[in-house]
Amino acid sequence: MKRLLLTTAICATLPFAAQADEFLVRADVTEATVFLGGVTEIVREVSLTVPQGDHDVLLALPSGVQLQRADIAGTGPVTLGSYSVETAHPIEEGALDGPDVAAARARVEDLEDRVDAVNARIAEAGAAVQAAALQRAYLQSVTAGGDNAAPFPTEPELLGQMLTTLGTQMANVAEAARLAEEEQTALREELAEVNTDLNAARTALNELYPFGTSVTVMRVPVSAEAEADVTLTLSHFSTAATWSPVYTLRLDSTAEELAVERAVTLQLTGNERWHDVGVSVSTADPGRERAPSDLSPQPARIHPPETEESRGVGFGIVQLGNGNAGGFNTTLARPSPAPAADMAPVEVQAVGASLTYRLPGAVTITPRDSSRQPLDTLSFDVDLTNRAVPRHDATAFLVAEVENDSGEALLSGNAAFYRDGELLGEAQLGFLADGAETDLAFGALDHLQLDWRDLSRDEGQTGIFTSADTQVRAVEFSVENTSDEAEEVRLLYAVPFAEQEELELDLDLSVTPDARDVDGQRGVHAWELTLEPGETRTIRMDVEFSWPEGEVLDWRP
C-alpha cells in the first residue's frame, strides 16, 4: 500500500487532503469476510506519515456506512486516542478521488467544456444567420420602391451597373445565410453526439460511486513523538454484502465421474463500491440461534368443562424461548486473511464447525450488482443407474449415486446440470453433509420407454372406490430398450399392502422383485433388469382385496 505524506501542500487530485493538524484520508475497504445471513466484517487499512505532535486523522467513509462494533488499531510509534464519528463532514468535490474516479471526472469535465464550446459556436452561427436576414431585408426594402427606395439612375449603362451590384449583394447575402444555417445544423448534430458521450461519462462516473461534497468521518486522535509512518486498521460489522454458493455439475457418464465446479455469487447491498478487495466467505451465520430454548415443567391438570365465561382461558403453562436468535452479539473469530493472488487455489480454513473460503483474487464490485467468483472443482466417482418408474414416467432417467467424500459439507445452492457436455437445466442442490450420500438425476433416457396399463379397466371393470366387499385388479408395466446396445435398468413400483386386519389382500407378481421395501418404504419394490437391444420386459400385478361388508376400499393402482 502506498504511504502518503499528508501536508497542507498536497494537491487535491490525490485521494486525501490536509488542513492544519487534521488529516483527511479515504478509508476504502481492503478486506471483507461475508457470513451467511447477510453479516459482513469489513476491514479498512490506511497507511500514512504524520509529523511530530498531536493530530486528528479523519478516516473518510461513504455516507450512511454501518459501523457496528467498530474497532480501530494502529501500528507504528504513535498513540491513538478514543475515536468519534461525524456525519456530513464537508469536503471539496473531487478532493478524495482515486485515480480511476479522477480520470472519469476529468472525462466528464472535458465533455462539459466541449458542450459549452459547441453551444458558443452555435450561437455564433445563429448570429450570422440573423445578420444575413437583416442584410437581405435591407436590400429588399431599397429595391421595393417607396420612401426608403434607392434612387435609380436614368442612364441605361448606370442603371445596369446598379442592378448588377444589387443582384451580386443579394446573392452574397443568400449564400452567407445558407452557409450559416448549414453550420448550425452540423453543430446541433455535433452537440447531440457530445451530449450522448457526456451522459455516458456521467453514468460511468456515478458507477464508481465517488465521494460527494460531504462524508462520514471517523476522527482518530494520533500522537507522535517524532515523524512516524503509521497504519490504521478500522474493522467493523455491517450488512453490506451477501453471498450464496452456486454449482455446475458435469457428469461424464462413460467414465462415471462427476465434477462439481463451485463458485460464489457475491452481492453488495450497501452504498459503497469495493475495488480490489480481498474477500472471504464463511459458512458461519452470526444471526443464527446461539443457545437452546428454555424448557419448563408441563404438569397435567384437570378442570371443569369449558363454559362460555371461561372460553379462551388457557390452563397450560407456556414458556417462550430465551430470545437468542438474531443479532451477532457474541465474539466472532475471524481468520487472518491471506494476501490475494490472481486465481490462486481456493484457501479453506476451518473455524469451529464452520468453514471460511478465501476467494482466489481481488474482487471489484459495485452496489446492487452481483459478481460470480470461482472457488474450486471437486471430483467424485459415481455409480450410475437407469431408474424407471413406469407408473408416473414415460422414460427412464439416469441417476448418479454419489458419496460426499470431499472432507467438507456442500451447502445448498443453485446448480446447473450437464450430462456429457449437454445442459439439462438448473435445480436447487440440497445440503450434503461430509460423508453423506445422495442421488442426483441427470435427465431422461429416451431410448428406455415405459408403459403402464390397468388391465382390469380393459376387461370392463370400473371404479376405484367401491362399497362391495371384494375387488380384483390387474396391472401391467413395462420397459422397452429401443437402442442398439444392452441396458441395465432398475425398475421401481409401489405395490399395495394392508395394515388393517380386516382388510385381506392377495398379491401376485409375474416377476419376483429383486428388492422389497426399498429404502425403508413399505411396498416399494425394485427389479434389476437387463434388456437386450429392442427388448421389452413386462411385469404383471394381480391383486384381490376382501373387506367387511359396509366398509369402503380406498386404493388406486
Side-chain angles (χ1 to χ4, degrees):
M1 180 176 292
K2 295 181 179 179
R3 303 200 170 193
L4 309 174
L5 176 62
L6 305 180
T7 69
T8 55
I10 295 295
C11 66
T13 57
L14 294 178
F16 56 82
Q19 179 179 0
D21 292 327
E22 292 184 352
F23 299 91
L24 181 64
V25 188
R26 60 183 296 157
D28 295 326
V29 178
T30 53
E31 296 284 339
T33 300
V34 186
F35 299 92
L36 289 178
V39 175
T40 304
E41 185 176 10
I42 302 293
V43 176
R44 306 169 186 269
E45 188 174 272
V46 174
S47 295
L48 66 154
T49 301
V50 297
Q52 179 183 10
D54 297 332
H55 317 284
D56 281 349
V57 176
L58 276 60
L59 302 180
L61 306 166
S63 298
V65 67
Q66 296 175 340
L67 294 173
Q68 301 179 39
R69 296 187 62 199
D71 181 66
I72 188 76
T75 60
V78 296
T79 302
L80 303 185
S82 299
Y83 70 81
S84 60
V85 177
E86 304 172 9
T87 59
H89 184 87
I91 63 170
E92 271 190 42
E93 187 174 20
L96 293 173
D97 285 354
D100 53 348
V101 178
R105 193 184 299 278
R107 169 70 172 163
V108 169
E109 293 173 352
D110 177 65
L111 289 171
E112 288 174 341
D113 291 341
R114 286 185 59 189
V115 167
D116 292 341
V118 174
N119 277 325
R121 291 169 60 194
I122 290 175
E124 291 176 0
V129 171
Q130 291 180 350
L134 290 174
Q135 293 177 40
R136 179 185 297 170
Y138 174 76
L139 291 174
Q140 289 175 343
S141 67
V142 299
T143 59
D147 296 338
N148 296 325
F152 285 88
T154 57
E155 297 83 353
E157 64 275 10
L158 294 178
L159 179 61
Q161 292 176 1
M162 184 174 184
L163 291 175
T164 300
T165 301
L166 289 174
T168 301
Q169 291 297 320
M170 288 291 288
N172 291 340
V173 169
E175 179 65 12
R178 184 186 66 80
L179 293 175
E181 289 171 353
E182 289 181 352
E183 184 178 9
Q184 265 191 325
T185 300
L187 288 172
R188 289 193 180 101
E189 293 176 353
E190 180 181 351
L191 179 62
E193 294 177 358
V194 176
N195 275 323
T196 298
D197 294 341
L198 176 59
N199 291 333
R202 286 172 174 166
T203 299
L205 176 60
N206 292 334
E207 288 177 350
L208 296 177
Y209 287 83
F211 287 97
T213 56
S214 66
V215 293
T216 296
V217 296
M218 176 176 284
R219 183 181 294 271
V220 183
V222 176
S223 179
E225 296 183 359
E227 183 179 274
D229 294 334
V230 59
T231 297
L232 299 180
T233 301
L234 168 63
S235 60
H236 62 94
F237 289 90
S238 75
T239 56
T242 59
W243 78 278
S244 59
V246 289
Y247 303 94
T248 301
L249 277 59
R250 301 185 185 274
L251 175 67
D252 184 337
S253 62
T254 302
E256 296 194 355
E257 292 180 349
L258 176 64
V260 179
E261 299 172 2
R262 298 194 294 177
V264 165
T265 297
L266 184 68
Q267 184 171 23
L268 294 191
T269 57
N271 192 33
E272 180 177 18
R273 174 176 177 257
W274 289 4
H275 181 71
D276 289 343
V277 175
V279 177
S280 299
V281 295
S282 173
T283 61
D285 185 357
R288 192 176 181 182
E289 289 191 9
R290 178 180 53 85
S293 300
D294 292 334
L295 188 64
S296 60
Q298 295 289 334
R301 292 184 171 88
I302 60 173
H303 56 84
E306 185 176 332
T307 64
E308 290 294 332
E309 291 77 10
S310 64
R311 182 168 292 127
V313 179
F315 291 88
I317 298 177
V318 178
Q319 177 70 39
L320 299 179
N322 57 17
N324 283 309
F328 42 96
N329 297 321
T330 56
T331 301
L332 301 176
R334 180 179 65 87
S336 299
D342 290 340
M343 298 310 296
V346 62
E347 298 179 14
V348 182
Q349 189 166 8
V351 182
S354 303
L355 295 174
T356 297
Y357 302 91
R358 173 74 176 197
L359 301 187
V363 174
T364 296
I365 183 174
T366 57
R368 288 167 290 281
D369 283 346
S370 294
S371 175
R372 185 182 176 114
Q373 302 289 328
L375 283 181
D376 57 10
T377 300
L378 304 177
S379 296
F380 301 95
D381 293 327
V382 297
D383 292 327
L384 298 181
T385 303
N386 300 329
R387 186 173 300 178
V389 184
R391 180 61 183 89
H392 302 290
D393 300 327
T395 69
F397 287 80
L398 183 62
V399 176
E401 303 172 28
V402 57
E403 178 185 356
N404 180 14
D405 55 4
S406 65
E408 57 184 282
L410 297 182
L411 301 178
S412 176
N414 188 62
F417 287 74
Y418 286 81
R419 183 180 78 199
D420 300 325
E422 178 185 0
L423 176 63
L424 302 176
E426 295 186 348
Q428 192 74 6
L429 182 67
F431 177 83
L432 188 61
D434 180 31
E437 297 180 355
T438 191
D439 292 341
L440 300 174
F442 282 88
L445 300 171
D446 292 327
H447 64 285
L448 295 176
Q449 294 289 314
L450 309 182
D451 186 45
W452 178 91
R453 286 193 305 153
D454 185 356
L455 301 179
S456 54
R457 288 185 179 277
D458 295 341
E459 295 168 0
Q461 299 185 24
T462 60
I464 294 176
F465 301 95
T466 176
S467 59
D469 57 0
T470 62
Q471 183 180 134
V472 178
R473 305 295 288 267
V475 170
E476 275 188 355
F477 44 92
S478 63
V479 55
E480 178 186 6
N481 178 18
T482 63
S483 73
D484 56 2
E485 295 182 359
E487 290 283 11
E488 303 286 339
V489 179
R490 181 176 175 85
L491 187 149
L492 297 171
Y493 198 88
V495 303
F497 61 92
E499 294 181 323
Q500 298 169 299
E501 292 183 2
E502 298 84 356
L503 177 61
E504 297 181 5
L505 183 152
D506 185 12
L507 176 68
D508 181 59
L509 296 168
S510 64
V511 179
T512 302
D514 296 287
R516 300 175 184 268
D517 300 336
V518 175
D519 296 330
Q521 301 180 87
R522 189 173 177 185
V524 176
H525 295 350
W527 289 261
E528 306 293 344
L529 306 177
T530 300
L531 281 77
E532 297 299 325
E535 182 181 5
T536 300
R537 297 289 298 276
T538 301
I539 300 173
R540 175 173 174 136
M541 180 184 75
D542 292 279
V543 58
E544 180 178 354
F545 299 94
S546 299
W547 62 91
E549 186 176 354
E551 300 290 335
V552 175
L553 176 65
D554 185 1
W555 174 81
R556 65 185 63 194

Short mmCIF file of all heavy atoms in Angstrom, two decimals, residues 495-543:
data_model
loop_
_atom_site.label_atom_id
_atom_site.label_comp_id
_atom_site.label_asym_id
_atom_site.label_seq_id
_atom_site.Cartn_x
_atom_site.Cartn_y
_atom_site.Cartn_z
N VAL A 495 -46.31 -51.41 -4.78
CA VAL A 495 -47.42 -52.36 -4.77
C VAL A 495 -48.28 -52.12 -3.53
O VAL A 495 -47.80 -51.57 -2.53
CB VAL A 495 -46.89 -53.81 -4.79
CG1 VAL A 495 -46.00 -54.04 -6.00
CG2 VAL A 495 -46.14 -54.13 -3.50
N PRO A 496 -49.54 -52.53 -3.56
CA PRO A 496 -50.39 -52.29 -2.40
C PRO A 496 -50.04 -53.22 -1.24
O PRO A 496 -49.53 -54.32 -1.43
CB PRO A 496 -51.79 -52.58 -2.93
CG PRO A 496 -51.58 -53.54 -4.05
CD PRO A 496 -50.28 -53.14 -4.67
N PHE A 497 -50.32 -52.76 -0.03
CA PHE A 497 -50.17 -53.58 1.17
C PHE A 497 -51.26 -53.15 2.15
O PHE A 497 -51.83 -52.06 2.04
CB PHE A 497 -48.77 -53.41 1.79
CG PHE A 497 -48.47 -52.01 2.23
CD1 PHE A 497 -48.73 -51.59 3.53
CD2 PHE A 497 -47.92 -51.09 1.34
CE1 PHE A 497 -48.45 -50.31 3.93
CE2 PHE A 497 -47.64 -49.80 1.74
CZ PHE A 497 -47.91 -49.40 3.04
N ALA A 498 -51.57 -54.03 3.09
CA ALA A 498 -52.65 -53.77 4.04
C ALA A 498 -52.08 -53.71 5.45
O ALA A 498 -51.24 -54.55 5.84
CB ALA A 498 -53.73 -54.84 3.95
N GLU A 499 -52.54 -52.75 6.23
CA GLU A 499 -52.13 -52.62 7.62
C GLU A 499 -53.27 -52.96 8.59
O GLU A 499 -53.05 -53.07 9.78
CB GLU A 499 -51.65 -51.19 7.88
CG GLU A 499 -50.38 -50.83 7.12
CD GLU A 499 -49.90 -49.42 7.40
OE1 GLU A 499 -50.78 -48.54 7.55
OE2 GLU A 499 -48.68 -49.21 7.49
N GLN A 500 -54.48 -53.11 8.07
CA GLN A 500 -55.63 -53.43 8.90
C GLN A 500 -55.94 -54.92 8.81
O GLN A 500 -55.93 -55.51 7.72
CB GLN A 500 -56.85 -52.62 8.45
CG GLN A 500 -56.66 -51.11 8.57
CD GLN A 500 -57.75 -50.35 7.86
OE1 GLN A 500 -57.91 -50.50 6.63
NE2 GLN A 500 -58.53 -49.58 8.61
N GLU A 501 -56.24 -55.54 9.95
CA GLU A 501 -56.51 -56.97 9.96
C GLU A 501 -57.76 -57.30 9.17
O GLU A 501 -57.88 -58.37 8.57
CB GLU A 501 -56.67 -57.44 11.42
CG GLU A 501 -55.38 -57.38 12.22
CD GLU A 501 -55.57 -57.92 13.64
OE1 GLU A 501 -56.70 -58.36 13.93
OE2 GLU A 501 -54.60 -57.92 14.41
N GLU A 502 -58.73 -56.36 9.16
CA GLU A 502 -59.99 -56.63 8.47
C GLU A 502 -59.85 -56.61 6.96
O GLU A 502 -60.71 -57.13 6.24
CB GLU A 502 -61.05 -55.61 8.89
CG GLU A 502 -61.41 -55.63 10.36
CD GLU A 502 -60.44 -54.81 11.19
OE1 GLU A 502 -59.45 -54.30 10.58
OE2 GLU A 502 -60.63 -54.69 12.40
N LEU A 503 -58.77 -56.02 6.46
CA LEU A 503 -58.56 -55.93 5.01
C LEU A 503 -57.62 -57.04 4.58
O LEU A 503 -56.44 -57.06 4.97
CB LEU A 503 -57.99 -54.56 4.63
CG LEU A 503 -57.65 -54.36 3.16
CD1 LEU A 503 -58.89 -54.51 2.29
CD2 LEU A 503 -57.00 -52.99 2.93
N GLU A 504 -58.13 -57.95 3.76
CA GLU A 504 -57.32 -59.04 3.25
C GLU A 504 -56.86 -58.70 1.83
O GLU A 504 -57.62 -58.16 1.05
CB GLU A 504 -58.11 -60.34 3.25
CG GLU A 504 -58.53 -60.80 4.65
CD GLU A 504 -59.30 -62.12 4.61
OE1 GLU A 504 -59.41 -62.69 3.50
OE2 GLU A 504 -59.77 -62.56 5.66
N LEU A 505 -55.61 -59.06 1.56
CA LEU A 505 -55.01 -58.70 0.27
C LEU A 505 -54.25 -59.90 -0.27
O LEU A 505 -53.42 -60.49 0.44
CB LEU A 505 -54.08 -57.49 0.45
CG LEU A 505 -53.40 -56.90 -0.79
CD1 LEU A 505 -53.13 -55.42 -0.57
CD2 LEU A 505 -52.07 -57.60 -1.07
N ASP A 506 -54.54 -60.24 -1.51
CA ASP A 506 -53.83 -61.32 -2.20
C ASP A 506 -53.13 -60.72 -3.40
O ASP A 506 -53.76 -60.24 -4.34
CB ASP A 506 -54.82 -62.40 -2.64
CG ASP A 506 -54.09 -63.60 -3.25
OD1 ASP A 506 -52.85 -63.68 -3.10
OD2 ASP A 506 -54.76 -64.44 -3.88
N LEU A 507 -51.78 -60.72 -3.36
CA LEU A 507 -50.98 -60.05 -4.39
C LEU A 507 -50.16 -61.08 -5.14
O LEU A 507 -49.52 -61.95 -4.53
CB LEU A 507 -50.05 -59.02 -3.74
CG LEU A 507 -49.07 -58.29 -4.66
CD1 LEU A 507 -49.81 -57.37 -5.61
CD2 LEU A 507 -48.04 -57.51 -3.85
N ASP A 508 -50.15 -60.96 -6.45
CA ASP A 508 -49.35 -61.86 -7.28
C ASP A 508 -48.60 -61.03 -8.30
O ASP A 508 -49.19 -60.22 -9.02
CB ASP A 508 -50.24 -62.89 -7.98
CG ASP A 508 -49.41 -63.85 -8.83
OD1 ASP A 508 -48.52 -64.53 -8.27
OD2 ASP A 508 -49.64 -63.89 -10.06
N LEU A 509 -47.27 -61.23 -8.38
CA LEU A 509 -46.41 -60.54 -9.34
C LEU A 509 -45.83 -61.56 -10.30
O LEU A 509 -45.31 -62.61 -9.86
CB LEU A 509 -45.28 -59.79 -8.63
CG LEU A 509 -45.72 -58.65 -7.71
CD1 LEU A 509 -44.56 -58.17 -6.84
CD2 LEU A 509 -46.27 -57.48 -8.53
N SER A 510 -45.90 -61.27 -11.59
CA SER A 510 -45.41 -62.23 -12.58
C SER A 510 -43.91 -62.40 -12.52
O SER A 510 -43.39 -63.44 -12.95
CB SER A 510 -45.84 -61.79 -13.98
OG SER A 510 -45.24 -60.54 -14.32
N VAL A 511 -43.19 -61.39 -12.05
CA VAL A 511 -41.73 -61.46 -11.90
C VAL A 511 -41.40 -61.11 -10.46
O VAL A 511 -41.84 -60.07 -9.94
CB VAL A 511 -41.01 -60.49 -12.86
CG1 VAL A 511 -39.50 -60.58 -12.66
CG2 VAL A 511 -41.38 -60.78 -14.30
N THR A 512 -40.67 -61.96 -9.80
CA THR A 512 -40.31 -61.72 -8.41
C THR A 512 -39.36 -60.53 -8.30
O THR A 512 -38.35 -60.46 -9.04
CB THR A 512 -39.62 -62.95 -7.80
OG1 THR A 512 -40.50 -64.06 -7.92
CG2 THR A 512 -39.26 -62.73 -6.34
N PRO A 513 -39.64 -59.57 -7.44
CA PRO A 513 -38.75 -58.41 -7.31
C PRO A 513 -37.41 -58.79 -6.71
O PRO A 513 -37.31 -59.75 -5.94
CB PRO A 513 -39.53 -57.47 -6.39
CG PRO A 513 -40.46 -58.33 -5.65
CD PRO A 513 -40.82 -59.47 -6.56
N ASP A 514 -36.39 -58.05 -7.07
CA ASP A 514 -35.04 -58.27 -6.53
C ASP A 514 -34.86 -57.59 -5.17
O ASP A 514 -33.96 -57.97 -4.43
CB ASP A 514 -34.00 -57.74 -7.51
CG ASP A 514 -34.02 -58.50 -8.83
OD1 ASP A 514 -33.56 -59.65 -8.85
OD2 ASP A 514 -34.51 -57.94 -9.82
N ALA A 515 -35.68 -56.61 -4.87
CA ALA A 515 -35.59 -55.93 -3.57
C ALA A 515 -36.98 -55.49 -3.17
O ALA A 515 -37.78 -55.05 -4.00
CB ALA A 515 -34.66 -54.73 -3.66
N ARG A 516 -37.27 -55.62 -1.88
CA ARG A 516 -38.56 -55.22 -1.35
C ARG A 516 -38.36 -54.11 -0.31
O ARG A 516 -37.33 -54.05 0.36
CB ARG A 516 -39.29 -56.41 -0.71
CG ARG A 516 -39.55 -57.55 -1.69
CD ARG A 516 -40.17 -58.76 -0.99
NE ARG A 516 -40.34 -59.88 -1.91
CZ ARG A 516 -41.45 -60.11 -2.60
NH1 ARG A 516 -42.47 -59.27 -2.48
NH2 ARG A 516 -41.54 -61.14 -3.41
N ASP A 517 -39.39 -53.29 -0.20
CA ASP A 517 -39.36 -52.19 0.78
C ASP A 517 -38.07 -51.38 0.64
O ASP A 517 -37.29 -51.20 1.58
CB ASP A 517 -39.50 -52.72 2.21
CG ASP A 517 -40.81 -53.47 2.41
OD1 ASP A 517 -41.76 -53.21 1.65
OD2 ASP A 517 -40.87 -54.31 3.32
N VAL A 518 -37.83 -50.88 -0.58
CA VAL A 518 -36.60 -50.15 -0.90
C VAL A 518 -36.50 -48.89 -0.05
O VAL A 518 -37.47 -48.13 0.10
CB VAL A 518 -36.58 -49.78 -2.40
CG1 VAL A 518 -35.36 -48.92 -2.73
CG2 VAL A 518 -36.59 -51.06 -3.24
N ASP A 519 -35.32 -48.68 0.51
CA ASP A 519 -35.05 -47.50 1.36
C ASP A 519 -36.06 -47.37 2.49
O ASP A 519 -36.43 -46.26 2.90
CB ASP A 519 -35.04 -46.21 0.52
CG ASP A 519 -33.93 -46.18 -0.50
OD1 ASP A 519 -32.88 -46.81 -0.24
OD2 ASP A 519 -34.11 -45.57 -1.57
N GLY A 520 -36.54 -48.50 3.00
CA GLY A 520 -37.45 -48.48 4.12
C GLY A 520 -38.87 -48.08 3.77
O GLY A 520 -39.70 -47.91 4.67
N GLN A 521 -39.17 -47.94 2.49
CA GLN A 521 -40.52 -47.57 2.07
C GLN A 521 -41.33 -48.84 1.80
O GLN A 521 -41.07 -49.56 0.84
CB GLN A 521 -40.47 -46.71 0.81
CG GLN A 521 -39.68 -45.43 0.98
CD GLN A 521 -39.66 -44.62 -0.30
OE1 GLN A 521 -40.55 -43.81 -0.57
NE2 GLN A 521 -38.65 -44.86 -1.12
N ARG A 522 -42.28 -49.09 2.68
CA ARG A 522 -43.04 -50.33 2.59
C ARG A 522 -43.81 -50.40 1.28
O ARG A 522 -44.48 -49.44 0.88
CB ARG A 522 -44.01 -50.43 3.77
CG ARG A 522 -44.68 -51.79 3.87
CD ARG A 522 -45.49 -51.93 5.13
NE ARG A 522 -46.17 -53.20 5.18
CZ ARG A 522 -47.03 -53.56 6.13
NH1 ARG A 522 -47.30 -52.70 7.12
NH2 ARG A 522 -47.61 -54.74 6.11
N GLY A 523 -43.70 -51.53 0.63
CA GLY A 523 -44.42 -51.76 -0.61
C GLY A 523 -43.69 -51.30 -1.86
O GLY A 523 -44.12 -51.61 -2.97
N VAL A 524 -42.59 -50.54 -1.72
CA VAL A 524 -41.83 -50.10 -2.89
C VAL A 524 -40.84 -51.20 -3.24
O VAL A 524 -39.90 -51.46 -2.49
CB VAL A 524 -41.11 -48.77 -2.61
CG1 VAL A 524 -40.25 -48.38 -3.82
CG2 VAL A 524 -42.11 -47.67 -2.30
N HIS A 525 -41.06 -51.85 -4.36
CA HIS A 525 -40.23 -52.98 -4.80
C HIS A 525 -39.37 -52.55 -5.99
O HIS A 525 -39.71 -51.62 -6.72
CB HIS A 525 -41.09 -54.18 -5.19
CG HIS A 525 -41.85 -54.75 -4.03
ND1 HIS A 525 -41.65 -54.38 -2.72
CD2 HIS A 525 -42.85 -55.71 -4.00
CE1 HIS A 525 -42.45 -55.06 -1.92
NE2 HIS A 525 -43.21 -55.86 -2.68
N ALA A 526 -38.27 -53.29 -6.18
CA ALA A 526 -37.35 -52.98 -7.27
C ALA A 526 -37.02 -54.24 -8.05
O ALA A 526 -36.87 -55.33 -7.47
CB ALA A 526 -36.08 -52.35 -6.72
N TRP A 527 -36.91 -54.08 -9.37
CA TRP A 527 -36.48 -55.15 -10.27
C TRP A 527 -35.21 -54.69 -11.00
O TRP A 527 -35.19 -53.59 -11.57
CB TRP A 527 -37.56 -55.46 -11.29
CG TRP A 527 -38.77 -56.15 -10.74
CD1 TRP A 527 -39.04 -57.49 -10.78
CD2 TRP A 527 -39.89 -55.54 -10.10
NE1 TRP A 527 -40.25 -57.76 -10.20
CE2 TRP A 527 -40.80 -56.57 -9.76
CE3 TRP A 527 -40.20 -54.22 -9.75
CZ2 TRP A 527 -42.00 -56.33 -9.10
CZ3 TRP A 527 -41.39 -53.98 -9.10
CH2 TRP A 527 -42.29 -55.02 -8.77
N GLU A 528 -34.19 -55.53 -10.98
CA GLU A 528 -32.96 -55.24 -11.71
C GLU A 528 -33.03 -56.00 -13.04
O GLU A 528 -32.93 -57.23 -13.08
CB GLU A 528 -31.73 -55.68 -10.91
CG GLU A 528 -31.66 -55.12 -9.49
CD GLU A 528 -31.45 -53.62 -9.45
OE1 GLU A 528 -31.06 -53.04 -10.49
OE2 GLU A 528 -31.68 -53.01 -8.38
N LEU A 529 -33.21 -55.26 -14.12
CA LEU A 529 -33.46 -55.87 -15.42
C LEU A 529 -32.30 -55.62 -16.38
O LEU A 529 -31.72 -54.53 -16.38
CB LEU A 529 -34.74 -55.30 -16.03
CG LEU A 529 -36.01 -55.38 -15.17
CD1 LEU A 529 -37.17 -54.70 -15.90
CD2 LEU A 529 -36.35 -56.83 -14.84
N THR A 530 -31.99 -56.62 -17.18
CA THR A 530 -31.05 -56.47 -18.29
C THR A 530 -31.83 -56.61 -19.58
O THR A 530 -32.44 -57.65 -19.84
CB THR A 530 -29.94 -57.53 -18.22
OG1 THR A 530 -29.22 -57.38 -16.99
CG2 THR A 530 -28.98 -57.35 -19.39
N LEU A 531 -31.83 -55.56 -20.39
CA LEU A 531 -32.60 -55.54 -21.63
C LEU A 531 -31.65 -55.53 -22.82
O LEU A 531 -30.79 -54.64 -22.93
CB LEU A 531 -33.52 -54.32 -21.68
CG LEU A 531 -34.83 -54.39 -20.88
CD1 LEU A 531 -34.55 -54.18 -19.41
CD2 LEU A 531 -35.81 -53.35 -21.38
N GLU A 532 -31.83 -56.48 -23.68
CA GLU A 532 -31.07 -56.53 -24.92
C GLU A 532 -31.63 -55.47 -25.89
O GLU A 532 -32.73 -54.94 -25.68
CB GLU A 532 -31.15 -57.92 -25.55
CG GLU A 532 -30.55 -59.01 -24.70
CD GLU A 532 -29.07 -58.79 -24.43
OE1 GLU A 532 -28.38 -58.26 -25.35
OE2 GLU A 532 -28.60 -59.13 -23.33
N PRO A 533 -30.89 -55.12 -26.94
CA PRO A 533 -31.39 -54.13 -27.91
C PRO A 533 -32.76 -54.53 -28.45
O PRO A 533 -32.96 -55.68 -28.89
CB PRO A 533 -30.33 -54.13 -29.00
CG PRO A 533 -29.08 -54.57 -28.30
CD PRO A 533 -29.52 -55.56 -27.26
N GLY A 534 -33.70 -53.61 -28.39
CA GLY A 534 -35.05 -53.86 -28.90
C GLY A 534 -35.93 -54.68 -27.98
O GLY A 534 -37.10 -54.92 -28.31
N GLU A 535 -35.46 -55.11 -26.84
CA GLU A 535 -36.23 -55.99 -25.96
C GLU A 535 -37.18 -55.18 -25.09
O GLU A 535 -36.88 -54.07 -24.65
CB GLU A 535 -35.29 -56.81 -25.07
CG GLU A 535 -36.03 -57.79 -24.16
CD GLU A 535 -35.10 -58.59 -23.27
OE1 GLU A 535 -33.88 -58.31 -23.30
OE2 GLU A 535 -35.59 -59.46 -22.53
N THR A 536 -38.34 -55.78 -24.80
CA THR A 536 -39.32 -55.21 -23.88
C THR A 536 -39.56 -56.20 -22.75
O THR A 536 -39.78 -57.40 -23.00
CB THR A 536 -40.65 -54.91 -24.58
OG1 THR A 536 -40.43 -53.97 -25.63
CG2 THR A 536 -41.67 -54.34 -23.61
N ARG A 537 -39.52 -55.74 -21.51
CA ARG A 537 -39.80 -56.59 -20.36
C ARG A 537 -41.07 -56.07 -19.69
O ARG A 537 -41.18 -54.89 -19.38
CB ARG A 537 -38.64 -56.56 -19.37
CG ARG A 537 -37.35 -57.12 -19.93
CD ARG A 537 -37.41 -58.64 -20.09
NE ARG A 537 -37.60 -59.30 -18.83
CZ ARG A 537 -36.61 -59.60 -17.99
NH1 ARG A 537 -35.36 -59.28 -18.29
NH2 ARG A 537 -36.87 -60.24 -16.87
N THR A 538 -42.00 -57.00 -19.48
CA THR A 538 -43.30 -56.64 -18.91
C THR A 538 -43.51 -57.39 -17.60
O THR A 538 -43.20 -58.59 -17.50
CB THR A 538 -44.43 -56.97 -19.88
OG1 THR A 538 -44.22 -56.25 -21.11
CG2 THR A 538 -45.78 -56.57 -19.30
N ILE A 539 -44.05 -56.71 -16.62
CA ILE A 539 -44.38 -57.30 -15.32
C ILE A 539 -45.87 -57.09 -15.08
O ILE A 539 -46.39 -56.00 -15.29
CB ILE A 539 -43.55 -56.66 -14.19
CG1 ILE A 539 -42.06 -56.87 -14.45
CG2 ILE A 539 -43.96 -57.22 -12.83
CD1 ILE A 539 -41.16 -56.13 -13.48
N ARG A 540 -46.54 -58.16 -14.65
CA ARG A 540 -47.97 -58.08 -14.38
C ARG A 540 -48.20 -58.20 -12.89
O ARG A 540 -47.57 -59.01 -12.21
CB ARG A 540 -48.72 -59.18 -15.12
CG ARG A 540 -50.21 -59.20 -14.77
CD ARG A 540 -50.96 -60.18 -15.63
NE ARG A 540 -52.36 -60.30 -15.20
CZ ARG A 540 -53.40 -60.32 -16.00
NH1 ARG A 540 -53.22 -60.21 -17.31
NH2 ARG A 540 -54.63 -60.45 -15.52
N MET A 541 -49.13 -57.38 -12.40
CA MET A 541 -49.53 -57.42 -11.00
C MET A 541 -51.02 -57.71 -10.92
O MET A 541 -51.84 -56.98 -11.49
CB MET A 541 -49.22 -56.10 -10.29
CG MET A 541 -49.61 -56.09 -8.83
SD MET A 541 -49.34 -54.47 -8.03
CE MET A 541 -50.71 -53.53 -8.71
N ASP A 542 -51.38 -58.80 -10.22
CA ASP A 542 -52.78 -59.13 -9.94
C ASP A 542 -53.00 -58.98 -8.44
O ASP A 542 -52.20 -59.50 -7.64
CB ASP A 542 -53.10 -60.55 -10.39
CG ASP A 542 -53.06 -60.69 -11.91
OD1 ASP A 542 -54.05 -60.33 -12.55
OD2 ASP A 542 -52.02 -61.15 -12.44
N VAL A 543 -54.07 -58.32 -8.08
CA VAL A 543 -54.33 -58.10 -6.66
C VAL A 543 -55.83 -58.27 -6.42
O VAL A 543 -56.68 -57.86 -7.22
CB VAL A 543 -53.85 -56.70 -6.22
CG1 VAL A 543 -54.51 -55.60 -7.02
CG2 VAL A 543 -54.06 -56.49 -4.73
#
